[in-house]
Amino acid sequence: MQDLLDQPCLIARSLALMGDAWSMLILRDAHAGLTRFDEFRKSLGIAPTILTRRLSALTDEGLLEKRRYSERPPRDEYVLTTAGRDFLPVLFAIGAWGRKHRGGGQVTRFFDAETGTEIDPVTIDRSTGAPIGTRPIRIVTPE
């Protein structure tokens, strides 16, 4: 994955950081208001060593910020940065794909806290207004 960091493709670079499920699920939970190590561990059922590595990577890459909330004993919380907040539409795009291609049975639903309406994300091209995936694409690599 380290080799992907030097790729000109921003999808490859982003996957080098966010390509594992644990990192994305940590960000999902952070968007739901979780900030503390034990909250993430309980929600995800993740091994403490894996959680420590993922929180460290997300902090190092600027998606989470580590803040001390207790000096005795020393305890930190993890708060979303602007980059972390900007990742929410990516999570919802993945969820929309899952609803279409992996749905069925009991599924978690997401609602707008202010309006109470269920979130139904659409990914569009800002320039044309066309939904992404409805038109052919062309990839241009740098020379």
Side-chain angles (χ1 to χ4, degrees):
M1 285 303 218
Q2 279 300 111
D3 293 340
L4 295 178
L5 291 173
D6 296 327
Q7 293 286 320
C9 175
L10 295 175
I11 294 171
R13 287 186 199 176
S14 299
L15 284 173
L17 169 65
M18 297 304 300
D20 75 274
W22 290 125
S23 295
M24 290 191 214
L25 292 172
I26 290 166
L27 288 178
R28 177 204 62 191
D29 284 358
H31 278 281
L34 277 59
T35 61
R36 299 189 177 170
F37 187 92
D38 287 340
E39 294 173 331
F40 290 117
R41 194 174 59 73
K42 182 178 178 184
S43 172
L44 298 171
I46 186 174
T49 54
I50 295 172
L51 179 57
T52 297
R53 284 195 304 268
R54 295 307 187 278
L55 287 171
S56 178
L58 290 168
T59 301
D60 291 346
E61 294 297 331
L63 285 98
L64 294 174
E65 178 183 331
K66 189 163 130 176
R67 291 186 189 159
R68 177 77 29 114
Y69 70 87
S70 172
E71 291 297 333
R72 289 186 166 223
R75 297 276 190 258
D76 297 313
E77 63 181 356
Y78 299 87
V79 181
L80 289 164
T81 63
T82 300
R85 287 188 298 275
D86 286 348
F87 198 75
L88 186 61
V90 176
L91 293 172
F92 276 101
I94 292 168
W97 179 88
R99 177 182 296 265
K100 184 174 180 180
H101 298 286
R102 297 289 186 258
Q106 299 277 342
V107 296
T108 301
R109 297 166 57 199
F110 298 90
F111 293 84
D112 183 292
E114 291 180 18
T115 66
T117 58
E118 188 166 6
I119 297 171
D120 183 17
V122 177
T123 311
I124 62 164
D125 174 56
R126 186 184 314 265
S127 297
T128 64
I132 295 174
T134 61
R135 295 178 178 199
I137 66 166
R138 180 171 51 95
I139 299 173
V140 178
T141 57
E143 296 180 27

